[in-house]
Amino acid sequence: MKTYRDPVTGYEIKQYTFGPERNAKLYFTCENFSADDKYFFFMKQQLEGKSDGGCYRAEVETGKIERVTDDTCRGFATDREKNVGYVCKNETEVYMVDLETMNMTKVGDLPAHGNVTGHLTSANTGRIACSYHLANKYYGLVILDPGKQAQVVYETDNWLGHAQICPTDENLLFFIHETMGDAFQRTWMFDIDERYARPYYVEHPHEWITHEVWSADGREMAIMKLDPPGWVDGDKGETHTGSIIIADKDGRHFDVEACDTQLLHPCISRDRKLLCADRIGYLGTKIQEGVMLFDRASGKKQLIATTGTCKTGSDHMHPSFNRAGDKILFSNPDENGIAQVCVIDLKQIKFD
């Protein structure tokens, strides 16, 4: 671990990994920290000839790093409340991981000969859910309740991804139609009891919606809307290409709460007072990449960390808050564009 001062923002940042392999934080759509915020979790790429890939945890204060799972495990994600994670072994076996002892306990099996198309996700009742590529090559939504057999609750020939069960409502399962870009209708909400899928944010033609995340209490979602280059906010007179929309649980109310240039992945603090997002060069527009912080009450915003330029989507910053909401974990691409994990302490941030 090393501590450095950001050359642009002046804020102090701790870097925990140094490559040469990719060391990328967990995706921003799940918790990245243990329940006590003592540890965060990241994925280490396994290079050819090596056998040290997999999920690791790092102690925030000391930088001590320990392996949690090996490279054969898939879909690792932590629970929103309990100090456990969930992971797939041998493609379809689901294990619960004690995040303190790192002991693993099998909790069930997903449908045979398939694979998850993202990370596992869990509700406060213990229900596990995921988007899944089935053996028949359809895509589906799968739920696994404690002590019961997994159920395929929805099937389609659309590529499904980014499945996120509502943290506080096991009946609602958000998912997307994955196109690796824009979609005619990207966001969907699935009612598990009724077996009914409906559009969530209903898109107009050529409206680009992307990268969504629940708040920890399941009351809101943050959604990124990509605006045309040079789009001007008529109320504020700002030119930007990224808007963070905050939506209610039912998808009936949507508000633009933050804007800036080249925003891509949003996240909400657990107290819902702060938003963050990465700022990334894409669609032919170059910019100083980094992490933005937004105060929802005042509407103030600030670039708090600058980063290198991402080599791939796996090297994006994907910033997310710890559970206390006083730190942000992000991936910082190194000089080769490969993600390395960093933390910035928000206690040093002052909004002007």
Side-chain angles (χ1 to χ4, degrees):
M1 183 177 70
K2 76 171 183 180
T3 299
Y4 68 93
R5 194 163 293 280
D6 189 288
V8 175
T9 70
Y11 292 130
E12 189 176 88
I13 296 170
K14 291 183 178 180
Q15 181 174 337
Y16 292 78
T17 62
F18 301 91
E21 66 284 319
R22 176 182 300 114
N23 293 280
K25 67 179 290 293
L26 300 185
Y27 207 50
F28 69 102
T29 50
C30 73
E31 293 289 350
N32 275 237
F33 288 77
S34 58
D36 57 5
D37 279 338
K38 183 178 180 181
Y39 304 101
F40 66 79
F41 300 86
F42 66 95
M43 304 303 297
K44 182 176 183 178
Q45 178 188 19
Q46 184 162 299
L47 297 180
E48 186 175 354
K50 297 290 186 70
S51 58
D52 59 350
C55 180
Y56 283 73
R57 74 176 186 184
E59 190 170 22
V60 176
E61 292 303 316
T62 67
K64 180 182 178 182
I65 291 175
E66 299 173 276
R67 197 181 196 185
V68 179
T69 70
D70 63 28
D71 191 55
T72 64
C73 294
R74 297 288 181 269
F76 181 86
T78 58
D79 190 88
R80 289 283 191 179
E81 301 298 334
K82 299 183 290 293
N83 200 36
V84 299
Y86 298 98
V87 72
C88 289
K89 292 182 66 175
N90 304 317
E91 298 294 348
T92 60
E93 298 177 8
V94 179
Y95 284 78
M96 181 173 65
V97 185
D98 185 311
L99 298 184
E100 183 59 37
T101 66
M102 293 184 284
N103 291 332
M104 301 177 69
T105 304
K106 186 174 179 180
V107 295
D109 295 278
L110 298 175
H113 310 299
N115 58 276
V116 294
T117 62
H119 60 71
L120 298 174
T121 175
S122 57
N124 56 356
T125 57
R127 171 173 284 178
I128 299 167
C130 62
S131 51
Y132 204 68
H133 199 190
L134 297 157
N136 61 5
K137 304 309 176 185
Y138 288 170
Y139 289 89
L141 299 176
V142 178
I143 63 170
L144 176 61
D145 289 317
K148 296 183 179 180
Q149 185 174 352
Q151 299 180 64
V152 180
V153 295
Y154 179 69
E155 290 182 271
T156 177
D157 57 359
N158 287 294
W159 182 0
L160 304 185
H162 290 215
Q164 304 172 57
I165 198 166
C166 179
T168 55
D169 185 348
E170 67 166 19
N171 187 51
L172 290 182
L173 180 52
F174 175 89
F175 67 94
I176 67 160
H177 284 179
E178 181 63 88
T179 66
M180 305 303 290
D182 198 3
F184 290 122
Q185 174 58 46
R186 174 181 165 96
T187 62
W188 298 79
M189 192 69 75
F190 187 73
D191 186 302
I192 294 172
D193 288 344
E194 298 295 331
R195 299 295 197 266
Y196 174 68
R198 61 176 173 83
Y200 182 63
Y201 180 95
V202 179
E203 296 188 43
H204 299 288
H206 308 296
E207 189 172 29
W208 196 324
I209 298 298
T210 186
H211 295 126
E212 313 79 10
V213 61
W214 283 109
S215 61
D217 60 9
R219 293 175 59 183
E220 296 180 326
M221 292 199 83
I223 299 174
M224 188 60 66
K225 180 176 181 289
L226 304 186
D227 300 304
W231 191 87
V232 178
D233 185 320
D235 293 332
K236 297 182 179 179
E238 294 180 337
T239 301
H240 61 77
T241 49
S243 301
I244 301 177
I245 295 174
I246 299 297
D248 64 1
K249 173 182 172 179
D250 295 325
R252 299 179 185 277
H253 195 78
F254 299 87
D255 290 309
V256 174
E257 289 213 10
C259 302
D260 205 75
T261 303
Q262 301 294 113
L263 300 181
L264 200 56
H265 303 92
C267 202
I268 310 173
S269 63
R270 288 180 74 89
D271 62 8
R272 296 189 290 116
K273 293 180 179 180
L274 299 172
L275 302 173
C276 66
D278 46 14
R279 200 169 76 171
I280 296 173
Y282 54 83
L283 299 180
T285 300
K286 294 184 178 180
I287 195 170
Q288 170 59 65
E289 302 194 354
V291 177
M292 294 289 299
L293 182 67
F294 303 88
D295 180 75
R296 295 180 69 180
S298 67
K300 293 180 178 180
K301 61 184 179 181
Q302 191 175 148
L303 176 67
I304 60 172
T306 58
T307 69
T309 298
C310 317
K311 184 177 181 180
T312 69
S314 299
D315 302 293
H316 286 159
M317 301 78 170
H318 297 147
S320 54
F321 296 92
N322 67 347
R323 301 191 189 225
D326 59 6
K327 292 181 175 63
I328 288 178
L329 177 71
F330 63 98
S331 294
N332 186 349
D334 60 22
E335 62 275 10
N336 297 311
I338 304 300
Q340 306 301 332
V341 194
C342 292
V343 169
I344 181 168
D345 191 327
L346 300 185
K347 297 185 187 73
Q348 62 189 313
I349 308 299
K350 303 295 184 185
F351 283 103
D352 296 329

